[in-house]
């Protein structure tokens, strides 16, 4: 790829950082990769409650599975909390186990 | 005396249960809690809700949340009884004292850190009205909504 060669000629720390940024913005196929941040960290939520379906629902895709961290961008700590919350909500039939 | 802890009990009653049956169920819970020297701190009826999947061929259920204080033996007895009762379709008991204390602690820590930071920068401890209104305007501009999260990211 051309971006790779560019980075070499420019060199230096700053150039490398810029190349990385450019990579993010200009994915092939026109995908824009947003910087993923943990929703719970941003909103400063310390305890993820199983009772709050509205809070949990963005992390449950159509199929009813738990959305992986690599997609939602949730940090490890909050993903763990989210996982138990979703599982508890499932036992109470607030959230489905599977949907098809 | 045994150690008392705080628990959250949610149970789902059959949708065709009458008012009296629900009251009786609540009474039963209260008796057990009483016998073990615990207390019911709060009862929150969520009312009739659609279930996400069928339980006992029912598509709806009557949800009730109780916040209890009591020993672990009380929880064991409560669970045993709720499993036997027919009008209770599903129940869940979660211990909450530790997580709530933790949440409280980190929130106070965060707040005091903010105050300390503000004082170091020579600002008053609490944000002024002017700042609040400006911050609100900024937040209105941001496009990040709950549905803008993690979508189209693959």
């Amino acid at each position: 790829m051309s971006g790779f060669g560019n980075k070499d000629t420019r060199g230096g720390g700053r150039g490398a950082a810029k190349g990385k940024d450019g990579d993010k913005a200009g994915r092939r196929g026109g995908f824009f990769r947003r910087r993923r941040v943990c929703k719970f960290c941003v909103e400063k939520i310390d305890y993820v409650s199983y009772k709050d379906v509205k809070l949990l629902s963005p992390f449950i895709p159509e199929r009813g599975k738990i959305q992986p961290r690599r997609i939602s961008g949730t940090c490890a700590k909050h993903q763990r909390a989210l996982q138990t919350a979703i599982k508890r909500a499932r036992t109470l039939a607030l959230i489905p186990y599977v949907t098809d | 005396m045994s150690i008392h802890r705080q628990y959250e009990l949610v149970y789902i009653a059959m949708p065709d249960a009458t008012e009296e049956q629900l009251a009786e169920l609540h009474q039963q819970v209260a008796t057990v809690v009483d016998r073990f020297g615990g207390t019911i701190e709060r009862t929150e009826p969520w009312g009739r809700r659609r279930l996400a999947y069928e339980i006992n061929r029912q598509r709806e259920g009557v949800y009730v949340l109780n916040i209890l204080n009591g020993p672990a033996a009380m929880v064991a007895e409560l669970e045993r009884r709720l499993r036997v009762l027919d009008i209770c379709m599903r129940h869940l008991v979660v211990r909450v004292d530790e997580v709530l204390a933790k949440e409280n602690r980190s929130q106070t820590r965060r707040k005091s850190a903010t105050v300390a930071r503000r004082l170091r920068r020579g600002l008053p401890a609490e944000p002024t009205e002017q700042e609040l209104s400006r911050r609100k305007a900024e937040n209105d501009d941001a496009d990040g909504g709950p549905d803008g999260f993690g979508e189209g990211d693959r």
Side-chain angles (χ1 to χ4, degrees):
Chain A
M1 272 174 93
S2 63
F4 220 78
N6 263 349
K7 197 179 97 185
D8 271 344
T9 51
R10 237 185 289 143
R14 201 168 144 252
K18 244 195 172 163
K20 213 170 148 200
D21 258 356
D23 225 31
K24 262 186 194 168
R27 289 254 146 188
R28 73 214 105 126
F31 269 113
F32 184 80
R33 178 151 292 214
R34 207 180 330 206
R35 214 174 84 83
R36 297 170 300 126
V37 282
C38 173
K39 183 183 177 179
F40 301 101
C41 287
V42 170
E43 294 184 12
K44 301 198 171 79
I45 297 167
D46 293 304
Y47 171 50
V48 187
S49 174
Y50 60 93
K51 290 173 290 184
D52 195 348
V53 181
K54 233 186 236 157
L55 178 71
L56 302 179
S57 57
F59 297 93
I60 302 146
E62 259 164 70
R63 192 68 215 222
K65 292 182 170 190
I66 300 174
Q67 191 158 47
R69 221 150 83 62
R70 87 182 109 85
I71 292 166
S72 62
T74 317
C75 72
K77 191 171 154 187
H78 283 120
Q79 181 77 6
R80 260 180 278 135
L82 180 67
Q83 178 187 333
T84 53
I86 289 177
K87 286 175 180 178
R88 281 173 184 169
R90 278 178 180 164
T91 37
L92 285 175
L94 298 172
I95 287 170
Y97 279 99
V98 279
T99 37
D100 37 22
Chain B
M1 219 182 77
S2 44
I3 307 162
H4 281 214
R5 305 195 190 288
Q6 195 171 58
Y7 298 94
E8 278 179 359
L9 162 69
V10 183
Y11 57 77
I12 312 173
M14 294 286 270
D16 43 17
T18 57
E19 284 293 320
E20 293 96 74
Q21 278 176 311
L22 288 176
E24 195 197 317
L25 181 56
H26 184 254
Q27 193 51 48
Q28 289 220 20
V29 172
T31 335
V32 175
V33 171
D34 222 43
R35 188 142 51 81
F36 284 88
T39 49
I40 299 184
E41 201 168 293
R42 207 167 78 224
T43 303
E44 241 177 69
W46 294 354
R48 195 172 285 264
R49 265 189 75 112
R50 247 191 91 84
L51 301 174
Y53 51 88
E54 275 186 28
I55 305 176
N56 299 351
R57 313 225 168 148
Q58 303 291 338
R59 322 208 101 254
E60 282 187 331
V62 183
Y63 284 72
V64 182
L65 164 74
N66 289 289
I67 299 181
L68 314 169
N69 288 306
M74 175 191 83
V75 177
E77 176 64 13
L78 268 177
E79 293 218 294
R80 196 187 66 77
R81 292 205 172 211
L82 288 171
R83 264 200 295 274
V84 174
L85 292 171
D86 284 334
I87 59 160
C88 173
M89 294 199 289
R90 195 59 64 90
H91 70 268
L92 177 76
V93 183
V94 179
R95 185 179 155 190
V96 289
D97 49 1
E98 273 182 342
V99 279
L100 290 184
K102 211 169 161 187
E103 186 189 20
N104 232 326
R105 232 178 300 140
S106 51
Q107 262 166 17
T108 45
R109 196 186 312 131
R110 196 173 289 141
K111 215 169 274 173
S112 60
T114 318
V115 169
R117 200 167 48 236
R118 288 180 63 87
L119 289 177
R120 231 178 298 132
R121 277 167 37 200
L123 294 162
E126 294 295 319
T128 56
E129 298 235 335
Q130 206 182 352
E131 275 180 78
L132 283 176
S133 64
R134 194 177 54 212
R135 208 174 298 165
K136 193 164 171 292
E138 274 169 13
N139 279 342
D140 285 344
D141 282 350
D143 76 315
D147 39 0
F149 229 91
E151 310 254 319
D153 211 349
R154 238 187 293 211

